[in-house]
Amino acid sequence: MTLKYSIYKKVVLLLIIATAISSMPEKYNTNIVEPEKNFELEPYLKDTMTKIHGTCFTIGWLFFILNGVFYLRYYKSFNERKHFNNHKIWFQVHRIFNTLAFIITTVGMIAILIANNFRWTGPKIGGYRNTSPAAVHSMMGVFAYGLLVLQVLNSFLRCDPDHRNRIFFNWIHRMLGVSSFLLATGTISVAAKFFGSHFTSSRNAEIMLFVFYAIIVFCIIANEISTRLHLKKAMITVLVTIFLSSLIVCSYVSALILTSN
């Protein structure tokens, strides 16, 4: 009886399995659409990150890098014999300003990545908005920051002033610096002209920036002439002018960014 019952149970189980298999559809829909996971930041937090980005890039490039490079280019002869922490004053000023600039711009880069959920918003292969202001701004900004990183890495390869390869280092260092700064000014200018919602008054920001660029060009020309004619008082005047004007412009543009709605 027990054996018959066991056989009967197995037969019934096999019939159930066979029935279940035969009732299954021949094809399954493999195009299962999973619900998108939304990790978008809150609007106020995204806006805050964007403001931090704009402020950091403005201050980092137009104040710290500009003044650090300007001092290096024209004021090596000032306090030539004075040292601070085993290095000449001009070198320490240049290094401190550019180190702070790198830290500040890195904070700005991280902030905008957080604001965009680490998604690339620049040109894409086959993209239909590759020439939009946002795409141009993103591409120029990435290249400016990338060259800045290369500049920092390149500084570790600095050889002694009397080394035969020093001339190559100087030219590479100079080209990286000039290229990154020009790209940065272009990036900031595009933002001021086309991203009006991120400024209390984008028109005022644009005017202030272009006036400032004119001041920079004027100061460069003035210092090139003063250097050749050994006009130290004129060079000091230019140094004060570029420092104060960059401080005023960065403060004003940053205020326009931070107070925007």
Side-chain angles (χ1 to χ4, degrees):
M1 184 71 180
T2 305
L3 179 61
K4 289 183 179 180
Y5 177 75
S6 177
I7 294 173
Y8 175 75
K9 185 172 68 173
K10 290 180 180 179
V11 170
V12 171
L13 182 61
L14 287 173
L15 288 174
I16 293 173
I17 294 173
T19 304
I21 293 174
S22 62
S23 63
M24 293 173 66
E26 295 182 0
K27 294 183 179 180
Y28 284 93
N29 181 15
T30 58
N31 298 322
I32 300 175
V33 179
E34 296 183 359
E36 293 185 3
K37 296 180 180 179
N38 189 0
F39 294 105
E40 291 290 336
L41 295 178
E42 294 291 334
Y44 78 92
L45 184 57
K46 182 175 182 178
D47 183 60
T48 300
M49 290 294 105
T50 304
K51 289 179 179 179
I52 292 173
H53 165 73
T55 303
C56 286
F57 260 54
T58 300
I59 295 174
W61 285 103
L62 299 185
F63 181 76
F64 284 104
I65 287 182
L66 175 63
N67 283 282
V69 172
F70 211 79
Y71 193 88
L72 170 69
R73 175 68 180 88
Y74 295 109
Y75 298 93
K76 287 183 180 180
S77 60
F78 288 63
N79 301 318
E80 178 67 20
R81 297 181 180 179
K82 292 185 178 181
H83 290 70
F84 174 72
N85 196 23
N86 298 323
H87 289 286
K88 293 182 178 180
I89 293 293
W90 64 263
F91 178 77
Q92 293 288 32
V93 171
H94 176 71
R95 182 162 64 177
I96 291 171
F97 269 65
N98 282 274
T99 299
L100 290 173
F102 177 69
I103 294 172
I104 292 171
T105 52
T106 299
V107 171
M109 181 62 73
I110 294 172
I112 199 63
L113 289 174
I114 293 173
N116 291 293
N117 294 322
F118 291 87
R119 291 196 302 263
W120 171 243
T121 59
K124 301 176 183 178
I125 297 176
Y128 64 94
R129 299 187 63 188
N130 287 346
T131 57
S132 66
V136 173
H137 175 81
S138 298
M139 182 59 72
M140 292 178 70
V142 165
F143 273 106
Y145 181 76
L147 291 177
L148 176 61
V149 173
L150 287 178
Q151 184 76 306
V152 172
L153 297 176
N154 178 57
S155 66
F156 290 103
L157 302 177
R158 182 173 58 90
C159 48
D160 294 331
D162 298 329
H163 196 280
R164 61 189 179 90
N165 292 330
R166 181 61 182 235
I167 187 173
F168 300 109
F169 169 81
N170 288 341
W171 274 105
I172 293 173
H173 200 63
R174 187 176 295 123
M175 287 188 293
L176 286 174
V178 171
S179 299
S180 61
F181 185 77
L182 291 177
L183 284 169
T185 55
T187 303
I188 296 170
S189 300
V190 168
K193 184 173 181 62
F194 295 102
F195 303 159
S197 61
H198 296 295
F199 295 86
T200 304
S201 173
S202 60
R203 181 62 176 169
N204 288 351
E206 188 179 357
I207 293 173
M208 180 66 80
L209 286 171
F210 282 103
V211 170
F212 182 52
Y213 298 154
I215 292 174
I216 294 173
V217 173
F218 172 79
C219 288
I220 291 173
I221 295 172
N223 260 3
E224 289 293 335
I225 296 172
S226 299
T227 301
R228 286 163 174 75
L229 299 178
H230 305 288
L231 304 175
K232 283 198 171 185
K233 289 185 178 180
M235 293 179 68
I236 292 174
T237 302
V238 170
L239 179 62
V240 173
T241 300
I242 201 73
F243 182 84
L244 291 179
S245 61
S246 62
L247 182 62
I248 293 170
V249 169
C250 289
S251 299
Y252 182 70
V253 173
S254 296
L256 292 178
I257 295 172
L258 294 174
T259 57
S260 62
N261 295 324

